[in-house]
Amino acid sequence: MTLSRKLLIFLPMVVFAVTDSRAQIASTSLRGSVSDPSGALVSGATIQIENGGTGFRLSRVSDAKGEYEINQIPPGTYVLTVSAPGFAVQKLSTELLVNQPATVNVTMSVEATATTVNVSSGAAELNTTDASVGNAVNNATIEALPMEGRNVPDLLSLQPGVLYLGHNNNQSADSRSGAVAWSRSDQGNVTLDGLDDNDQTQGYAFTGVLRSTLDSVEEFRVTTTNSNADSGRSSGAQVNMVSRSGTNSLHGSLYEYNRNTLTAANDWFNKQAELSQGLPNVAGKLIRNTYGAVLGGPVKKDHLFYFLNFEQQRTAENVQKTMTVPTALARAGSISYYYGDGQQTYTLSPAQIAGMDPKCSSYGTCPWGPGDDPNALATLNLYPLPNGGVAGDGLNSASFSWSAPNPTELTTYIAKIDAVLSDKHRFFVRGNLQNDTRLDPPEFPGQPASNTHSDDSRGIAVSDTYMFTSNVVNSARYGFIRQGYADSGIGEGAYVNFEGLSTLNAQTRGTILHVPVHNLIDDVTWTRGSHTFQVGANYRLIH
């Protein structure tokens, strides 16, 4: 394996705009205006947002134009309270989604008596702040959607302009699968809590190094086109996931999902092979059992929270294999061929083959006697008899199709601690660990697994967000991911194979791969009037 070292440094980048512009930092923003019933703008109004689950709150005062803006807000559901002298207090409930700027304009009502007006805001439904195209979904939607393999990045396949070829037949390795708006699949960018989570060795569009379970993702956001210059490092889709946190309420769940073979149809080739051998029509195994537990809650109300998730998936799944094996005549030492117009065949018997070189013994070129090599025939007879004709030449070789076991066990551990140190300062640390094992199908029935694939990738993320003033916010994040997997093949020594036949035994070899990735990001957002200035740096070190 070649050891490569890549150093990518994105120099500080400044974005000047009359509208908001954020990096892909797993947060969001809120802006809007405050006006009276006649449409006149109200300056000096107090705008406060509060998340009752975490105790997070921020306050702003509308400027001379009646406008307000709040940056670097953790995604979630908030109560927006607006008050001003001479007006009734307005309370609005709004859901702020990751990397999807929200605009909430508030119209105050004249205060006749002390009242509170409750309004439900759909601010997160439409992005009117920038030209980025994409969708964000919350945890409730993620858990409700049926998802093959329960892989959250697969939600990218639901976006317009994305080519998805599925995961069957190793199509995930096809560079076309995951292409977005003419950008190749390896130009996608997957982040978790705003930090790099890309598979550096394969560059797949629908998978990250660290597995995110359905119950551990608070929100998912994908930008397919027109992403801002500071939202990603590539031309493809920008996939951003935000991990869940604990809240002031103790919450938890136990869950199990089971998919089995009862409703699965048999593979066509497997069915034909079974019929030719007089076997019953039985589909290959397709059993997936996923179970886990989630627990989250407060350590100290409004200030310190924890979130834990364990999940394991056990899969008993078969894949259809079609191999090329010798026919019964070839196993007996005969050789057949076409002649004439190609429609006629002739078969040479073992005696005829031996008679083609009668003097080989005296020449010392056939130590086992003239004709077929008995060692070769012994090897050919170790192959199973063919049960189909979709492979081989139809004379000396044919196909053997069978449903081969391909079991998998995936284990995921996720832990996160969130701290609200003050109204201006928040912090979190998250750790991920997975322990996966997959047994690749045997070469032929009765043989051991051709390869054992194991994955023990792990990672840690740390984030610190501090508000220096009401209009200057700094967000610093550090992530370390150690992608690690190994293949334990069963192949040993040298091999001599028969041309045109499948190898009798798997010839897989062992490999070990470790890819440590360090990612350090810092962003400063400064709001002045109706303008927002942002400067940031993104450092990645890959071994």
Side-chain angles (χ1 to χ4, degrees):
M1 183 183 68
T2 301
L3 179 64
S4 63
R5 182 178 181 179
K6 301 177 182 179
L7 178 62
L8 299 178
I9 302 178
F10 294 104
L11 296 177
M13 171 182 56
V14 182
V15 178
F16 299 94
V18 295
T19 57
D20 186 29
S21 182
R22 275 155 310 285
Q24 194 164 359
I25 55 177
S27 64
T28 188
S29 67
L30 176 66
R31 59 168 52 232
S33 62
V34 182
S35 60
D36 64 16
S38 68
L41 297 174
V42 178
S43 62
T46 300
I47 301 96
Q48 177 179 281
I49 62 168
E50 182 175 6
N51 185 329
T54 62
F56 177 85
R57 63 178 62 86
L58 284 175
S59 296
R60 292 290 185 272
V61 176
S62 60
D63 59 20
K65 297 181 181 180
E67 297 176 344
Y68 70 93
E69 181 174 357
I70 307 175
N71 291 302
Q72 304 282 15
I73 307 172
T77 301
Y78 289 86
V79 174
L80 180 67
T81 304
V82 184
S83 60
F87 295 95
V89 175
Q90 297 270 3
K91 283 192 175 182
L92 302 89
S93 176
T94 182
E95 184 177 14
L96 303 180
L97 299 179
V98 59
N99 277 7
Q100 185 157 316
T103 301
V104 176
N105 298 320
V106 182
T107 301
M108 307 295 288
S109 59
V110 178
E111 183 179 26
T113 58
T115 60
T116 297
V117 180
N118 294 288
V119 182
S120 178
S121 169
E125 297 175 2
L126 182 64
N127 174 18
T128 59
T129 301
D130 56 38
S132 61
V133 178
N135 293 296
V137 295
N138 58 21
N139 178 259
T141 304
I142 292 172
E143 291 185 338
L145 287 173
M147 206 171 300
E148 175 72 10
R150 294 172 56 81
N151 179 44
V152 179
D154 276 344
L155 290 173
L156 171 64
S157 63
L158 302 180
Q159 309 302 315
V162 178
L163 176 64
Y164 180 61
L165 299 178
H167 289 299
N168 294 326
N169 300 322
N170 203 29
Q171 291 187 89
S172 59
D174 192 323
S175 62
R176 297 170 300 169
S177 185
V180 180
W182 303 103
S183 294
R184 290 165 52 98
S185 61
D186 60 2
Q187 293 303 301
N189 184 27
V190 181
T191 60
L192 179 59
D193 293 325
L195 290 160
D196 192 286
D197 189 32
N198 293 284
D199 186 329
Q200 309 296 342
T201 62
Q202 304 294 341
Y204 295 155
F206 299 99
T207 56
V209 175
L210 302 178
R211 183 168 46 251
S212 297
T213 67
L214 298 189
D215 294 81
S216 70
V217 176
E218 181 66 29
E219 289 191 13
F220 171 91
R221 162 75 171 172
V222 58
T223 303
T224 53
T225 56
N226 296 338
S227 58
N228 297 321
D230 55 352
S231 65
R233 56 176 178 80
S234 57
S235 61
Q238 309 298 317
V239 177
N240 194 2
M241 294 174 289
V242 179
S243 58
R244 289 182 68 181
S245 302
T247 66
N248 282 323
S249 300
L250 181 65
H251 61 275
S253 63
L254 297 173
Y255 57 89
E256 181 176 10
Y257 302 87
N258 182 269
R259 174 182 177 178
N260 55 57
T261 320
L262 293 177
T263 58
N266 198 358
D267 182 276
W268 187 89
F269 294 101
N270 191 52
K271 179 180 179 180
Q272 301 308 310
E274 290 172 338
L275 289 174
S276 69
Q277 295 174 281
L279 300 175
N281 178 18
V282 178
K285 287 184 179 180
L286 180 57
I287 303 173
R288 295 180 182 176
N289 192 38
T290 303
Y291 51 90
V294 173
L295 182 64
V299 177
K300 183 179 180 181
K301 185 178 180 180
D302 291 344
H303 291 287
L304 190 62
F305 312 92
Y306 67 90
F307 176 83
L308 305 171
N309 183 204
F310 163 78
E311 182 174 293
Q312 188 168 74
Q313 181 182 98
R314 292 178 179 268
T315 301
E317 188 169 346
N318 284 23
V319 296
Q320 195 66 25
K321 293 194 67 175
T322 299
M323 315 298 287
T324 304
V325 299
T327 61
L329 283 174
R331 289 155 59 104
S334 298
I335 296 177
S336 302
Y337 59 90
Y338 293 100
Y339 72 96
D341 58 2
Q343 301 299 316
Q344 302 178 51
T345 62
Y346 189 83
T347 300
L348 292 173
S349 68
Q352 290 174 309
I353 296 174
M356 296 173 68
D357 194 5
K359 296 183 179 181
C360 67
S361 296
S362 59
Y363 292 154
T365 57
C366 51
W368 294 284
D372 296 316
D373 185 332
N375 298 289
L377 293 181
T379 303
L380 291 177
N381 278 273
L382 294 177
Y383 283 89
L385 287 169
N387 56 19
V390 298
D393 60 15
L395 297 177
N396 304 297
S397 60
S399 63
F400 175 77
S401 185
W402 68 297
S403 185
N406 185 204
T408 302
E409 183 176 295
L410 309 176
T411 307
T412 308
Y413 305 90
I414 300 174
K416 186 179 181 184
I417 294 292
D418 288 85
V420 180
L421 305 178
S422 68
D423 289 348
K424 296 183 176 182
H425 194 190
R426 61 184 186 274
F427 171 89
F428 79 75
V429 58
R430 169 183 48 78
N432 296 64
L433 173 64
Q434 52 203 50
N435 186 13
D436 304 342
T437 302
R438 184 188 72 238
L439 300 182
D440 289 345
E443 196 79 349
F444 286 100
Q447 296 182 356
S450 60
N451 176 62
T452 300
H453 179 85
S454 57
D455 187 323
D456 64 347
S457 299
R458 61 198 64 187
I460 188 170
V462 179
S463 174
D464 184 90
T465 302
Y466 186 80
M467 184 181 301
F468 291 97
T469 66
S470 60
N471 60 346
V472 177
V473 183
N474 182 79
S475 177
R477 299 171 308 286
Y478 169 75
F480 172 75
I481 291 179
R482 200 294 310 269
Q483 182 180 12
Y485 59 81
D487 289 292
S488 301
I490 63 174
E492 294 180 353
Y495 291 90
V496 177
N497 300 315
F498 291 97
E499 179 69 23
L501 298 181
S502 299
T503 58
L504 182 59
N505 300 99
Q507 300 176 10
T508 51
R509 303 289 177 158
T511 60
I512 298 176
L513 178 68
H514 285 169
V515 186
V517 178
H518 298 267
N519 191 199
L520 180 62
I521 304 174
D522 189 82
D523 292 280
V524 179
T525 305
W526 175 36
T527 304
R528 184 173 178 82
S530 58
H531 298 272
T532 297
F533 306 90
Q534 188 175 58
V535 57
N538 189 331
Y539 170 91
R540 286 196 312 150
L541 177 63
I542 306 172
H543 289 282

